[in-house]
Amino acid sequence: MFIAPGVLGFLLFILGPMLYSLVMSFENYPIIHPATWVGLKNWRALFHDPLIWKSLKVTTYFAVGSVTVTVVVGFLLALLLNQKILFKRAIRTIYFLPSVITGVPVALLWSWMFSPQFGLINTVLKWFGIQGPQWLFDEHWVIPALILMSAWSMGGAVIIYLAGLQGVPESLYEAAELDGAGAIRRTWYITIPMLSPIIFFNFVLSIIGSFQAFTQAYIMTSGGPNNSSLLYVLYLYRNAFSYFQLGYASAMGWLLFLVLLVLTLVVFRVSRKWVIDEATP
């Protein structure tokens, strides 16, 4: 009885629409006309659409950079914030607060920061005599700009890392220090192995989140310039709500689901070699 609201919500608003979108992926559904069954036509069209491959390439590029920033830089930042420093709690809060603000406001803020003429980033670079790039208006810089922006929301990963660092027994560090291990060796042989389940957790969530990125490209670049920031979900959105091809968009959604499923299974398979399970004897 108590779990009924959650189960009903899942069936009505998650599982139900997912199954219906699977059916629509085999239909031609232009919204204004009734859906007609077309079989595998939408799926075959996916592999002949050059923008599908372009969007997958762009999204993969963004995902690699975003995951690296979240997992690696977030881990290093957590190590820093775990040290005995002044105003430690206040600094932790400051780093976490940006991750609370998401969506359109963040995209508008960073659009201003990346402005070539009046943006904060290029203004600071000018102080050091550096001519900043065109950022969002340059095909070669637009994805690095979005990757840099992704650092804004890594506060959640940092907090998770900090929680894990609190659980590492101090006795391990003390024993290693007595044996002459320096800070780098203690981090490599104690901290990273002990935090490997948390690193794995953040890694998987970062992969899924980065492949589903949408707001940045939709608000800041509209996929430009020259489709250089055409993220996959943005192209899916265009097919569904600009071109009114819900059947084709549904097939795109399920293709993304399959890609993420394969990536996740591969990561889980590889994780057996480096993730240390404390329950394992």
Side-chain angles (χ1 to χ4, degrees):
M1 182 180 65
F2 286 110
I3 67 172
V7 172
L8 290 176
F10 172 76
L11 293 176
L12 292 175
F13 301 113
I14 298 179
L15 183 60
M18 283 182 63
L19 295 177
Y20 184 56
S21 71
L22 179 60
V23 174
M24 281 199 300
S25 70
F26 299 100
E27 297 177 336
N28 178 28
Y29 190 12
I31 298 181
I32 59 176
H33 299 291
T36 57
W37 187 265
V38 294
L40 296 174
K41 181 179 178 180
N42 290 327
W43 289 88
R44 288 195 296 266
L46 291 176
F47 298 97
H48 296 89
D49 187 348
L51 287 182
I52 287 287
W53 301 106
K54 174 72 173 181
S55 61
L56 281 174
K57 180 180 177 181
V58 169
T59 304
T60 302
Y61 179 18
F62 170 77
V64 171
S66 178
V67 170
T68 301
V69 168
T70 301
V71 175
V72 178
V73 179
F75 175 74
L76 297 176
L77 185 58
L79 286 178
L80 177 63
L81 295 178
N82 196 49
Q83 305 303 312
K84 296 179 180 179
I85 56 178
L86 294 175
F87 309 110
K88 180 166 62 175
R89 292 185 178 179
I91 295 174
R92 288 177 178 177
T93 304
I94 291 172
Y95 272 103
F96 179 72
L97 279 178
S99 63
V100 178
I101 308 171
T102 59
V104 176
V106 173
L108 294 175
L109 172 64
W110 279 89
S111 294
W112 166 73
M113 292 181 66
F114 285 127
S115 173
Q117 290 80 26
F118 311 105
L120 176 63
I121 296 177
N122 280 6
T123 299
V124 173
L125 291 176
K126 286 181 182 179
W127 294 347
F128 298 93
I130 302 174
Q131 180 63 41
Q134 293 296 305
W135 295 113
L136 303 178
F137 302 95
D138 189 328
E139 293 183 27
H140 300 94
W141 280 98
V142 61
I143 292 300
L146 297 182
I147 293 172
L148 178 62
M149 175 185 168
S150 67
W152 174 270
S153 58
M154 68 178 181
V158 172
I159 293 299
I160 295 174
Y161 279 133
L162 283 171
L165 288 171
Q166 304 301 315
V168 179
E170 287 292 333
S171 58
L172 295 178
Y173 292 119
E174 294 172 358
E177 192 172 358
L178 290 174
D179 288 339
I184 296 178
R185 293 178 67 87
R186 292 198 301 270
T187 301
W188 184 259
Y189 290 106
I190 297 177
T191 306
I192 293 179
M194 293 295 293
L195 260 65
S196 58
I198 295 176
I199 296 173
F200 169 71
F201 175 79
N202 280 332
F203 185 54
V204 172
L205 289 187
S206 298
I207 291 176
I208 296 173
S210 59
F211 269 89
Q212 294 178 336
F214 166 75
T215 307
Q216 305 95 310
Y218 179 71
I219 298 296
M220 299 171 67
T221 67
S222 296
N226 194 26
N227 291 325
S228 57
S229 62
L230 183 63
L231 298 180
Y232 188 87
V233 178
L234 175 59
Y235 187 45
L236 187 156
Y237 172 86
R238 285 182 180 177
N239 278 282
F241 302 108
S242 296
Y243 311 145
F244 300 115
Q245 296 295 330
L246 287 184
Y248 188 68
S250 297
M252 288 184 62
W254 277 93
L255 176 62
L256 179 61
F257 170 78
L258 293 175
V259 169
L260 288 176
L261 178 63
V262 171
L263 283 176
T264 304
L265 291 176
V266 170
V267 171
F268 268 85
R269 184 73 177 181
V270 175
S271 68
R272 300 176 183 177
K273 298 181 180 181
W274 62 273
V275 175
I276 297 178
D277 186 359
E278 294 183 6
T280 302

